[in-house]
Amino acid sequence: MSRQRIDFEASGLSRKERRQGRRARANDHYDAEPTRARRRDQALPEPAVPGPFGPGLTEGGYWNLAPVNVPPHQATSQHVAGIYPFVADAGLGHRGPILGVDLNADALWHFSPWETYADSTDRGSFSTNVLVLGAYRAGKSAVIKTLVTRSMAFGHQAVVPSDPKGEWRAVAEAIPGGNVIRLGGAFDTRLNPLDRGPRRTGVTNEQHELMVKQRRITVLTSLVQAALPGASLTAVEHAALLEALDRCIVHTDDQPTLRGVFAELTQLTTETNRDRHLAHGAIQPSFVLRRFVNGDLSGLFEDESTVNFDDDAPIVVVDTSELFARGDLVAQLSQICTTAWNQAVISDRGAHKTRYVIREEGWRDMTSLASLQMYQQWLKLSRHYGISNIVILHKMGDLDAVGEADSQERNLAYSIAGDIENKFIFRINQQEATSIQQRLAVPPAHADMARQLRRGEFLAYVGQYSYLVDAFATSTPWEYELFKTDDAMDLDPGRAGELQYFEPTDLDAVWPADTDVDGWLTSSKELK
């Protein structure tokens, strides 16, 4: 290793003084140099051939004084790109909120579905929707809450049409201006899925009326068909449902409700003299809507809405956690109603607002062929409305609850999930590795990696590129405490299973008076 020496001289010295100073420093330098050690002192073996070079010049000995001539490595640019300094990826850039740390590039990872859609390079994507997949306690909900909350600083809003676990309610209450709508339990809140909704910007009267009518028809058919598992509406039943809707619109001055449609269906069943086939077709739908009026779904969706959608709120959450105690079918029907009620507001393209639509338990929106078709259409139109649908699943097997094996419904559900271009894959179970390879075309190496991810880490597929992201690396204590969903699993500190010691006063209280240890054991044995 080379050494360098820097000397400083005072200003104003004469030439003679400078010469004397240099001579003194030179003498100090020579005196400080260590004496050269002899070969014997260095414990080096004597050369077999006398001379300064020894045998190293011909036999490669280590005391060879000739320099080693190593030829430079030559390779193609494709192979040189595999060297470590060139492995670090450029990432998605710095547009959008920070979601975590890119573990491959060791850099902050920014993500915004609208920014990636607007990106015209090969880093961009063709969709704003995101599929989130991962096992329980993998950190899915916390990461999505982080993304949604940080995106609000960029002007984006969020809507949760159905919060089955009540975990988004705390987030909405912690954000200034957040709106929470609670259904079921002790709350008398009602949502009318047949509401007209606000007028869409930039459309004619005829276009607006047609869109309102189509939305109402889709909601009614989805509700009835979801309540008839394994069956579909016949042409006569569909015609009876439309006839009842038209009559209700006329009789209620364009303010139809499920109660009003049920009353018109009941009236149709008695009009056998006018149209016997139509009367017969109204029987099945009337029994389904009867559940909303007098059955297990009463008090939620049968009458006019008692709350309004706050269009300016940064986040709107419909808390349906109280409804899930009534069964899966009730939860599915409720999710259809709340989704339709929200879509009446957020589908206004002219408002120029961008919103996340978080679909917790996303498979519940795919309960029937009609709801699947509506779901697919809604995903395709998300770019048109400025919406990013975030579909959260625990595993691809969740879609096995949709329809029968190899049915049209199940194949369509798998097709919808596979068509979502942006994917966040968290830690998966052993049996899920094969499924994501087949259903989502995930490479086998990535599937093996997904089985070993820690909490908060995920594989992000955005467009044609993939990234390994650690979202919890940038989480703040405020976010961590607000977003965690394991509060119910926290152990009581007083009952944590630690060894408890008795104080002498407490021990005297339980120890029998005037009894030694032998006497206590004897008496206890006799009592047994």
Side-chain angles (χ1 to χ4, degrees), residues 67 136 170 243 309 354 412 472:
Y136 291 97
E243 176 67 19
F309 187 100
T354 52
L412 183 57
F472 286 178

Side-chain angles (χ1 to χ4, degrees), residues 225 228-235 237 369 409:
Q225 196 159 333
L228 300 173
S232 58
L233 289 176
T234 63
E237 292 172 344
L369 183 60
E409 291 85 353

Side-chain angles (χ1 to χ4, degrees), residues 161 180-191 299-301 306-307 318-324 326 334 337-338:
V180 179
I181 300 172
R182 299 179 180 178
L183 294 178
F187 307 100
D188 57 355
T189 306
R190 286 183 175 83
L191 302 180
L300 299 174
F301 309 105
T306 59
V307 293
V318 181
D319 184 6
T320 57
S321 56
E322 296 288 343
L323 302 180
F324 279 69
R326 303 188 187 184
S334 301
C337 293
T338 56

Side-chain angles (χ1 to χ4, degrees), residues 81-156:
I83 302 177
Y84 172 74
F86 306 98
V87 171
D89 190 76
L92 288 174
H94 302 285
R95 295 177 297 178
I98 297 173
L99 187 55
V101 174
D102 187 347
L103 298 181
N104 288 331
D106 194 19
L108 293 176
W109 196 72
H110 300 247
F111 177 75
S112 171
W114 295 280
E115 293 292 346
T116 57
Y117 178 73
D119 190 353
S120 59
T121 67
D122 55 354
R123 294 278 178 179
S125 62
F126 297 144
S127 173
T128 56
N129 302 317
V130 182
L131 174 66
V132 180
L133 182 71
Y136 291 97
R137 300 191 66 190
K140 303 184 302 298
S141 296
V143 172
I144 299 304
K145 291 172 185 175
T146 302
L147 172 63
V148 170
T149 305
R150 295 179 181 178
S151 296
M152 293 178 185
F154 292 78
H156 306 308

Side-chain angles (χ1 to χ4, degrees), residues 164-279:
K165 303 175 184 177
E167 58 187 43
W168 283 91
R169 178 185 62 203
V171 178
E173 292 174 346
I175 296 175
N179 185 18
V180 179
I181 300 172
R182 299 179 180 178
L183 294 178
F187 307 100
D188 57 355
T189 306
R190 286 183 175 83
L191 302 180
N192 181 14
L194 302 181
D195 275 339
R196 290 183 61 87
R199 181 182 177 83
R200 190 167 301 176
T201 307
V203 297
T204 62
N205 293 335
E206 293 77 10
Q207 292 173 335
H208 178 64
E209 293 298 328
L210 180 60
M211 287 185 289
V212 172
K213 182 178 180 180
Q214 291 297 329
R215 185 173 62 247
R216 287 170 171 172
I217 292 173
T218 303
V219 173
L220 276 177
T221 54
S222 299
L223 284 175
V224 175
Q225 196 159 333
L228 300 173
S232 58
L233 289 176
T234 63
V236 177
E237 292 172 344
H238 194 273
L241 200 58
L242 297 185
E243 176 67 19
L245 176 61
D246 291 337
R247 291 187 181 185
C248 183
I249 291 175
V250 173
H251 294 161
T252 60
D253 193 19
D254 200 14
Q255 294 181 352
T257 61
L258 294 182
R259 184 186 296 275
V261 176
F262 169 71
E264 297 297 338
L265 285 172
T266 305
Q267 179 64 28
L268 275 176
T269 58
T270 62
E271 298 178 359
T272 55
N273 55 344
R274 294 184 56 183
D275 192 333
R276 178 170 54 86
H277 297 287
L278 197 63

Side-chain angles (χ1 to χ4, degrees), residues 449-494:
M449 185 186 302
R451 293 174 43 231
Q452 304 172 11
L453 294 176
R454 298 176 300 177
R455 186 183 301 184
E457 295 179 351
F458 61 94
L459 291 170
Y461 295 89
V462 181
Q464 303 177 9
Y465 288 81
S466 61
Y467 311 88
L468 179 59
V469 183
D470 182 1
F472 286 178
T474 60
S475 295
T476 62
W478 179 83
E479 291 174 323
Y480 181 79
E481 293 297 327
L482 181 62
F483 300 157
K484 67 179 183 179
T485 57
D486 291 336
D487 292 341
M489 298 301 295
D490 290 342
L491 295 177
D492 185 358

Side-chain angles (χ1 to χ4, degrees), residues 369-445:
L369 183 60
S371 60
L372 279 166
Q373 293 171 346
M374 179 178 65
Y375 195 87
Q376 186 180 39
Q377 182 182 10
W378 187 247
L379 291 176
K380 290 181 178 180
L381 294 176
S382 59
R383 298 169 296 174
H384 183 75
Y385 295 140
I387 294 171
S388 173
N389 291 280
I390 300 180
V391 183
I392 302 177
L393 300 174
H394 294 293
K395 57 183 182 300
M396 292 300 294
D398 290 345
L399 302 180
D400 291 341
V402 180
E404 301 293 334
D406 296 328
S407 62
Q408 182 181 2
E409 291 85 353
R410 185 173 298 182
N411 292 332
L412 183 57
Y414 278 118
S415 176
I416 290 174
D419 289 342
I420 300 178
E421 187 176 14
N422 304 317
K423 302 176 180 66
F424 292 173
I425 298 182
F426 291 75
R427 180 179 56 83
I428 60 175
N429 297 324
Q430 173 70 28
Q431 60 272 18
E432 188 68 10
T434 304
S435 180
I436 64 173
Q437 293 180 47
Q438 297 175 350
R439 301 293 184 181
L440 302 179
V442 173

